[in-house]
Each structure stands twice: as structure tokens, then as C-alpha cells.
């Protein structure tokens, strides 16, 4: 139908649907702080914003109907909206690194950073892209051994540190040398607490 009544009814139906979507998303995202970007036709975005209770909804949306869109193209469009969020967090972590370095709450020492990250002490971990450190983690001593070249039984220690940092709720930034807080090191960390 046409007219004001039909439009109001459509909006109410969309709002009810988006509240259900929001409830489902909140079951998954309730403790998250990652940005949420919405892809939809323009007139639906204000309705979704009304239903949304997630604190990190982006103010912009990806405009259009993406039912038959290539997922990789959609990913690029989403990245154009959320990249500012991630860049700001990375910059903030790098600044924090420099502020806390002399207080024992940050380090660029590989032998300190990797074991600390593995045990969950790292709040933020910066890893130089296209790098790996091969060796072993000795759990009982919370130490590492590093090999110049990969040997049988070795573990990718940077990968292990990254995985454990994420498992413990930390952030990992894999960046070019120019974006490392201390570029002469392969790995830098901001710690949750001093030792």
C-alpha cells in the first residue's frame, strides 16, 4: 500500500527485525570493543541505529544492497570505514609504549617480551611484519631459546606470542619496521603491569 500508514508500518517492522538482529549480535559482541560497520540501503541505517545497543557502532555505513556482492569487495568497503578505529588504537598503544618504557611496563627486549606475552602479561604486542624468531619456549622457567635458523622441533616464537596475547585479551599489531615503537627490535610490548 501507499501512504503514511504503510510507511510507518514498514518502519515498525524493520525496527522490530533490527532489534532481533541486535539481540543476536549482543550475545556474541557483549564484551567486545571492535567496531561494527553496517552495510545496507540508506533509509534502513537510521532505523538500525535506533535498534542498536552496541557501543562501537560506526557512524558511517556502507550504502547499497550487497545481497549478491563479492565478499572481498565488501570487505574492502568495510575497511574504508573501520581502519581509522584500528589506526587510532595502534597509535595510542605506540605512545603508551614510549611513556611506560622507563617504568618497566614496556620492553623491546625479545627475551623478555616473548615469555611475557606467552604468559598473558602483554596488553599490546607490536611485531615487525615478515619476521619470525625460531626457538623453544621453556614453560617451567618462562624462558626462550633462540636459534639462528629453524631447527627440528622449533616453534615460531613470534607467532606463539601473538596467539597467546590475543587469547589473554591483548592486542597484536603486525606492522612494517617504520611503525614499530622501537624499530631496531623485532617485537615490542606494552605490559599490563611491571615486574
Amino acid at each position: 500500500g501507499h501512504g503514511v500508514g504503510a510507511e510507518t508500518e514498514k518502519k515498525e517492522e524493520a525496527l522490530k527485525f533490527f532489534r532481533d538482529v541486535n539481540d543476536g549480535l549482543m550475545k556474541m559482541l557483549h564484551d567486545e570493543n571492535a567496531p561494527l560497520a553496517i552495510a545496507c540501503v540508506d533509509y534502513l541505517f537510521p532505523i538500525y541505529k535506533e535498534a542498536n545497543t552496541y557501543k562501537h557502532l560506526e557512524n558511517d555505513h556502507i550504502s547499497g544492497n550487497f545481497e549478491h556482492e563479492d565478499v572481498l569487495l565488501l570487505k574492502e568497503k568495510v575497511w574504508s570505514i573501520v581502519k581509522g578505529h584500528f589506526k587510532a588504537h595502534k597509535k595510542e598503544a605506540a605512545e603508551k609504549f614510549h611513556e611506560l618504557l622507563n617504568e618497566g611496563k614496556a620492553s623491546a627486549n625479545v627475551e623478555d617480551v616473548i615469555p611475557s606475552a606467552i604468559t598473558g602479561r602483554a596488553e599490546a604486542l607490536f611485531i615487525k611484519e615478515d619476521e619470525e624468531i625460531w626457538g623453544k619456549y621453556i614453560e617451567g622457567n618462562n624462558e626462550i631459546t633462540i636459534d639462528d635458523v629453524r631447527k627440528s622441533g622449533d616453534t615460531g616464537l613470534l607467532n606463539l606470542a601473538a596467539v597467546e596475547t590475543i587469547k589473554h585479551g591483548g592486542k597484536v599489531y603486525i606492522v612494517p619496521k617504520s611503525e614499530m615503537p622501537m624499530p631496531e627490535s623485532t617485537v615490542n610490548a606494552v605490559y599490563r603491569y611491571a615486574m
Side-chain angles (χ1 to χ4, degrees):
H2 297 284
V4 175
E7 289 302 315
T8 301
E9 192 173 304
K10 284 180 188 178
K11 181 184 176 197
E12 288 302 317
E13 283 296 313
L15 186 59
K16 182 180 181 302
F17 173 75
F18 287 145
R19 284 187 177 134
D20 289 342
V21 169
N22 178 71
D23 291 346
L25 282 173
M26 289 308 293
K27 287 177 184 172
M28 294 185 294
L29 301 176
H30 56 89
D31 291 331
E32 295 291 328
N33 62 4
L36 174 63
I38 302 297
C40 63
V41 292
D42 292 338
Y43 76 90
L44 289 176
F45 188 60
I47 301 170
Y48 183 82
K49 283 174 76 172
E50 187 177 334
N52 176 68
T53 59
Y54 185 62
K55 294 176 187 167
H56 306 285
L57 175 67
E58 290 291 312
N59 288 326
D60 294 327
H61 70 288
I62 299 120
S63 178
N65 182 342
F66 299 95
E67 185 176 355
H68 302 291
E69 187 72 59
D70 175 32
V71 174
L72 293 176
L73 182 60
L74 185 57
K75 181 182 171 187
E76 286 178 28
K77 290 179 180 184
V78 169
W79 182 245
S80 71
I81 290 177
V82 300
K83 69 182 172 186
H85 170 87
F86 291 104
K87 285 182 177 183
H89 281 277
K90 181 174 63 175
K91 182 180 180 210
E92 183 180 305
E95 289 169 356
K96 195 171 185 181
F97 174 88
H98 291 291
E99 289 170 14
L100 300 176
L101 188 58
N102 293 329
E103 297 177 26
K105 293 183 181 177
S107 179
N109 180 316
V110 172
E111 287 82 7
D112 181 45
V113 171
I114 292 174
S116 294
I118 291 170
T119 59
R121 186 174 160 215
E123 175 184 305
L125 191 68
F126 288 85
I127 297 174
K128 199 180 295 181
E129 69 182 3
D130 300 324
E131 297 279 339
E132 186 55 271
I133 296 173
W134 297 103
K136 293 177 181 59
Y137 172 64
I138 304 149
E139 188 173 346
N141 300 340
N142 193 35
E143 294 176 350
I144 58 170
T145 60
I146 297 174
D147 294 320
D148 293 333
V149 293
R150 184 177 186 181
K151 295 182 180 175
S152 179
D154 275 357
T155 297
L157 295 172
L158 293 177
N159 185 58
L160 179 60
V163 167
E164 291 301 322
T165 297
I166 292 167
K167 275 187 188 175
H168 289 92
K171 303 291 184 210
V172 176
Y173 304 100
I174 300 172
V175 297
K177 180 178 180 176
S178 62
E179 293 181 27
M180 293 287 288
M182 289 191 92
E184 57 277 4
S185 177
T186 308
V187 63
N188 304 168
V190 175
Y191 297 139
R192 299 177 199 282
Y193 50 89
M195 289 295 273

